[in-house]
């Protein structure tokens, strides 16, 4: 009797601890509803086959944003992803899960944990899925501990498959959330070659021999040591493990929302206009997703709305300025972004001919500046936070270095004749100092100058394009885009600002003659007198 009482007390204590961990994530009420809906009344256990059914991920004929051909092994990987999630985290030898085992499984993949544990969990899932699909992999885990050491290496194709697996989980979460009543969108895989090249150039031993300007990542056979890859992942995409939590939440939520169990197990074709329109801009889905992976803030959510199909605003109103559409130059730029008080993402696409004699190669690259303060017309640097990005051909992020605050510089010509003791540069700049900016765009949006990171103490060091070198580089601008990330509130403030400016402009164009006492006091009379006899002696009335 005493032994039985002690055993019940032990189980009760474990259950309370597990429920407390699940409650800290806010998911305990949902877990109770899911368990009560799927539990077998006779055995008081949740059948694994029922859970497998809701976690089955099967996207038919996924399409790829990249021009490269999708590996034939990736659809096989997806077919085993859902079952691998259940087998890895909700494992039981009885054929069914009791309540304690169900909550424990949820905490293993979605509970609060350190960054290293979350990455370890994601890589463990990838390894289990690849193994179940019968594909080769060179990863080894020292133990079953959630924070054990991972050894081995990854190939470039492994990195592509890992990124696409994470994208699919995020896609599944967002399409199930936004299109429950409409059916799911067909899976569209982004171009992640810039991320793969970033991993290769940062981790591979033979990276110095790689030509990043003309490289087919699918043909690379270099090995990336797992230790270096983890370091790169922590720095470049710290929020990517969130995709696992998202897909588990989405699939468990489907248990409660779907009336027909088969609707949650497969995808149907949907409207892909959002994805196609995104790919026609500099900010493609793959580039926007890569930028979002570097952030852990509300700005990340705004960027993700550009990547995934949405039942909200989506891309509407977020593209504030595009040089090919609105015209080049600071004046056209300000007429479109003026009054926007919110985070902005500015993309600059430029090209430069190869410096080698006789070479006709034109090197094209894209850099990005993220500012959380918007643009202001000032003759000095300002800002409190921001980041620089190299996104094509290789992706790198350069957040704040914390030494200086020269985040943004945006200066127009003064409207009146104002004496300036020292000429101030006219254009847009990021980082560096006045006259020695790290990135400087001229007032005509014709050329961009990139300087070595030694001139900049605001953003972290690194090359903004491959083989940058120490000397300043001047390149021709082919396109500039500015995206607003402040949501509806910032857009409404800008709309009010534009209406007010239009009203002031209209008022300045009109001259009300009633405001003048008589013809003799009117400006027209004064101008006519000056023209008719400019040398006439006039006495000022006092």
């Amino acid at each position: 009797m005493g032994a039985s009482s002690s055993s019940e007390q032990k189980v009760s204590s474990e259950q309370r601890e597990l429920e407390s961990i699940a409650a800290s994530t806010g998911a305990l009420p949902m877990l109770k509803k899911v368990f009560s809906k799927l539990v077998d009344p006779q055995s008081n256990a949740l059948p694994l086959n029922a859970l497998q059914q809701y976690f089955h991920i099967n996207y038919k004929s996924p399409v790829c944003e990249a021009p490269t051909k999708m590996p034939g092994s990736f659809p096989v990987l997806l077919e085993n992803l859902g079952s691998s999630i259940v087998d890895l985290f909700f494992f039981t030898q009885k054929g069914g899960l009791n309540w304690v085992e169900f909550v424990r499984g949820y905490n293993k993949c979605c509970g609060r944990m350190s960054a290293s544990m979350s990455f370890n969990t994601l890589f463990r899932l990838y390894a289990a899925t690849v193994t179940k699909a019968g594909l080769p992999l060179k990863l080894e885990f020292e133990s079953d501990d959630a924070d054990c050491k991972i050894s081995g290496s990854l190939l470039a194709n492994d990195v592509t498959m890992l990124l696409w697996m994470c994208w699919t989980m995020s896609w599944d979460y967002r399409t199930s959330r936004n299109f429950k009543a409409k059916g799911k969108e067909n899976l569209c895989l982004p171009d992640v070659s810039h991320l793969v090249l970033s991993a290769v150039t940062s981790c591979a031993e033979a990276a110095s021999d790689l030509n990043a300007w003309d490289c087919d990542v699918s043909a690379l056979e270099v090995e990336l040591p797992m230790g270096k890859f983890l370091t790169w992942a922590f720095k470049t995409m710290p929020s990517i493990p969130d995709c696992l939590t998202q897909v588990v939440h989405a699939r468990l939520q489907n248990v409660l929302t779907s009336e027909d169990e088969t609707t949650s197990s497969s995808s149907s074709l949907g409207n892909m206009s959002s994805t196609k329109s995104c790919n026609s801009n500099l900010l493609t889905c793959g580039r926007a997703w890569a930028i979002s992976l570097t952030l852990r803030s509300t700005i990340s959510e705004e960027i993700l709305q550009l990547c995934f199909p949405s039942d909200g605003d989506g891309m509407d109103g977020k593209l504030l300025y595009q040089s090919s559409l609105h015209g080049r130059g600071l004046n056209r730029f300000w007429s479109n972004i003026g009054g926007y008080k919110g985070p902005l993402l500015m993309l600059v696409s430029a090209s430069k001919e190869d410096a080698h004699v006789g070479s006709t190669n034109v090197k094209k690259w894209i850099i990005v500046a993220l500012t959380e303060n918007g643009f202001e017309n000032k003759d000095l640097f300002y800002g409190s936070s921001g980041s620089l990005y190299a996104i094509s051909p290789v992706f790198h992020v350069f957040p704040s270095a914390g030494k200086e605050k020269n985040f943004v510089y945006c200066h127009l010509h003064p409207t009146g004749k104002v004496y300036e003791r020292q000429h101030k540069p006219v254009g847009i700049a990021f980082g560096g100092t006045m006259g020695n900016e790290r990135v400087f765009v001229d007032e005509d949006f014709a050329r961009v100058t990139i300087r070595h990171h030694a001139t900049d103490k605001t953003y972290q060091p690194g090359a903004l394009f491959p083989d940058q070198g120490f000397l300043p580089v001047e390149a021709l601008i082919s396109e500039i885009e500015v995206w607003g990330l402040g949501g509806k509130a910032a857009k409404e403030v800008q709309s009010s600002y534009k209406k007010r400016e239009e009203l002031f402009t209209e008022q300045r164009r009109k001259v009300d003659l009633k405001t003048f006492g008589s013809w003799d006091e009117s400006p027209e009379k004064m101008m006519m007198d000056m023209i008719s006899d400019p040398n006439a002696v006039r006495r000022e009335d006092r």
Side-chain angles (χ1 to χ4, degrees), residues 466-537:
D467 308 323
Q468 178 179 342
F470 186 79
L471 297 177
V473 176
E474 190 177 84
L476 297 176
I477 295 176
S478 54
E479 182 74 289
I480 290 181
E481 288 180 2
V482 179
W483 295 79
L485 306 176
K488 292 182 179 179
K491 194 62 181 175
E492 290 173 357
V493 171
Q494 187 191 31
S495 298
S496 301
Y497 170 84
K498 286 187 174 182
K499 290 179 180 178
R500 191 165 59 251
E501 286 296 308
E502 290 174 1
L503 179 62
F504 290 159
T505 302
E506 193 67 24
Q507 289 176 346
R508 287 192 292 266
R509 289 175 178 172
K510 296 179 179 179
V511 177
D512 190 1
L513 295 179
K514 295 181 181 179
T515 58
F516 301 100
S518 64
W519 165 254
D520 293 333
E521 298 177 1
S522 67
E524 288 82 358
K525 175 67 164 55
M526 185 183 305
M527 292 297 296
M528 291 182 67
D529 290 344
M530 292 178 63
I531 294 173
S532 61
D533 189 3
N535 296 322
V537 179

Side-chain angles (χ1 to χ4, degrees), residues 183-258:
K184 290 189 177 180
E185 294 248 345
N186 190 42
L187 177 65
C188 178
L189 300 172
D191 181 4
V192 294
S193 58
H194 54 305
L195 277 170
V196 178
L197 274 176
S198 177
V200 171
T201 55
S202 301
C203 306
E205 295 180 358
S208 58
D209 300 331
L210 181 68
N211 181 13
W213 297 105
D214 184 19
C215 180
D216 181 9
V217 295
S218 61
L220 293 177
E221 296 293 336
V222 294
E223 293 188 355
L224 313 182
M226 200 58 199
K228 291 184 177 181
F229 182 78
L230 275 171
T231 302
W232 172 84
F234 277 125
K235 177 185 177 182
T236 308
M237 47 183 192
S239 64
I240 198 170
D242 296 344
C243 63
L244 176 57
T245 303
Q246 292 171 350
V247 74
V248 171
H249 270 271
R251 290 291 166 159
L252 292 178
Q253 195 66 39
N254 282 343
V255 176
L256 305 177
T257 57
S258 61

Side-chain angles (χ1 to χ4, degrees), residues 47 64 84 92 135 207 225 240 268 277 279 300 327 370 398 407 472 504 526 538:
C64 186
S84 297
T92 180
L135 303 174
I240 198 170
S268 60
S277 60
N279 293 345
S300 176
L370 172 63
F398 308 103
F407 289 99
F504 290 159
M526 185 183 305
R538 292 181 176 84

Side-chain angles (χ1 to χ4, degrees), residues 123-162:
F123 290 131
R124 196 180 289 272
L125 172 62
Y126 176 70
T129 307
V130 169
T131 302
K132 193 166 188 177
L135 303 174
L137 186 67
K138 296 181 180 179
L139 283 187
E140 295 181 1
F141 297 84
E142 283 192 348
S143 65
D144 293 333
D145 186 22
D147 201 14
C148 70
K149 182 180 179 181
I150 309 176
S151 58
S153 61
L154 293 174
L155 296 175
N157 276 338
D158 292 326
V159 179
T160 301
M161 301 259 279
L162 171 65

Side-chain angles (χ1 to χ4, degrees), residues 65 69 101 230 275 297 335 409 456 473 529:
E65 174 188 85
K69 186 178 179 181
E101 292 171 332
L230 275 171
T275 303
S297 62
S335 64
Y409 173 89
D456 179 28
V473 176
D529 290 344

Side-chain angles (χ1 to χ4, degrees), residues 70-115:
M70 180 180 61
S73 55
F74 183 71
V76 181
L77 183 79
L78 281 189
E79 290 178 3
N80 293 275
L81 176 57
S83 58
S84 297
I85 294 176
V86 176
D87 293 343
L88 185 61
F89 302 111
F90 299 96
F91 175 76
T92 180
Q93 296 179 346
K94 305 174 185 177
L97 296 166
N98 60 34
W99 168 246
V100 173
E101 292 171 332
F102 179 60
V103 179
R104 184 189 296 115
Y106 173 83
N107 291 339
K108 284 182 180 179
C109 56
C110 301
R112 295 183 181 275
M113 62 185 77
S114 64

